[in-house]
Amino acid sequence: MSDFALSRLNMVESQIRPSDVTDRRISRTMLALPREEFVPAPLKPICYMDQDLILPPSRGSDRRFLLAPRTLAKLIQALEVNDDSVVLDLGCATGYSAAVLSRLAGTVFAVESDPALAESASKLLERLEISNVQVTTGPLGSGLPKDGPFDAILINGTVSHVPAELLDQLKDSARLVAVLTGDGVGHATRWLRVGSRFTQAALFDASAPALSEFVEETGFVF
């Protein structure tokens, strides 16, 4: 067994399975996918640790990252994806989250605002022969209304709000998940569409880097 294969096994056994991730499809998928392929060489030795991986910045772009394996697995489980689901993956970075979702869903639309990362994700997914993911470059907060509505939406990071135009891209009874922050505390949160209404529920404590497109700016208070 290679060092990376052993690291994947340890990741699943020590981070994923003990964390109430009961969907065995997720464990099998994360055991099979080479997470090391989705990060640059300096990050490969630590890519299976229980931490977010901050990617080297592209010129003029916001920082991007891969969510910690435990957080990603639990967020994806909360989406309750099945093999005919159409999923929107926002902030896909190099494509790891989209690759995980590709093994669970019928179709994945991945959006990345950094053109260089979007191109890298497309090439890597093609090299791994993952054919049910379409990577698009565009603003994360806008989603992909022309390709919706969606059965599930994953936001890869911390948000202070979710735009109404994004929630409107959910089908009835569909779910959106993200890490929601308030007063410095983060909670993995699920939004559920019920007709024209949306319910919101905190799932578990979590932390993740922020996605600037989903962070409201606060003005000065006198």
Side-chain angles (χ1 to χ4, degrees), residues 3 5-16 31 48:
D3 289 344
L6 180 59
S7 294
R8 280 197 295 276
L9 178 61
N10 289 337
M11 173 190 71
V12 170
E13 294 297 334
S14 65
Q15 300 175 41
I16 308 305
L31 186 59
Y48 290 103

Side-chain angles (χ1 to χ4, degrees), residues 66-180:
L66 271 62
L67 289 175
R70 184 198 312 264
T71 302
L72 179 64
K74 296 186 75 170
L75 286 172
I76 288 177
Q77 178 169 262
L79 288 174
E80 300 182 21
V81 172
N82 58 47
D83 57 11
D84 62 358
S85 295
V86 179
V87 180
L88 179 61
D89 180 24
L90 298 174
C92 70
T94 54
Y96 181 73
S97 56
V100 175
L101 287 165
S102 76
R103 302 286 186 95
L104 311 174
T107 304
V108 180
F109 291 92
V111 181
E112 177 50 62
S113 58
D114 183 323
L117 281 178
E119 181 179 4
S120 175
S122 293
K123 290 179 177 178
L124 180 53
L125 293 168
E126 182 178 2
R127 180 158 62 82
L128 294 175
E129 299 182 342
I130 296 173
S131 59
N132 62 336
V133 177
Q134 177 179 316
V135 181
T136 300
T137 303
L140 306 184
S142 298
L144 284 177
K146 66 181 179 62
D147 295 303
F150 301 98
D151 297 291
I153 299 176
L154 169 67
I155 300 179
N156 279 281
T158 290
V159 307
S160 65
H161 72 291
V162 176
E165 65 178 309
L166 194 54
L167 290 171
D168 282 340
Q169 292 173 41
L170 289 171
K171 293 180 181 177
D172 192 17
S173 301
R175 299 163 178 82
L176 179 151
V177 295
V179 177
L180 181 66

Side-chain angles (χ1 to χ4, degrees), residues 20-33:
D20 297 323
V21 179
T22 56
D23 187 336
R24 294 182 180 179
R25 300 175 305 155
I26 298 174
S27 297
R28 289 196 297 267
T29 294
M30 297 183 80
L31 186 59
L33 277 175

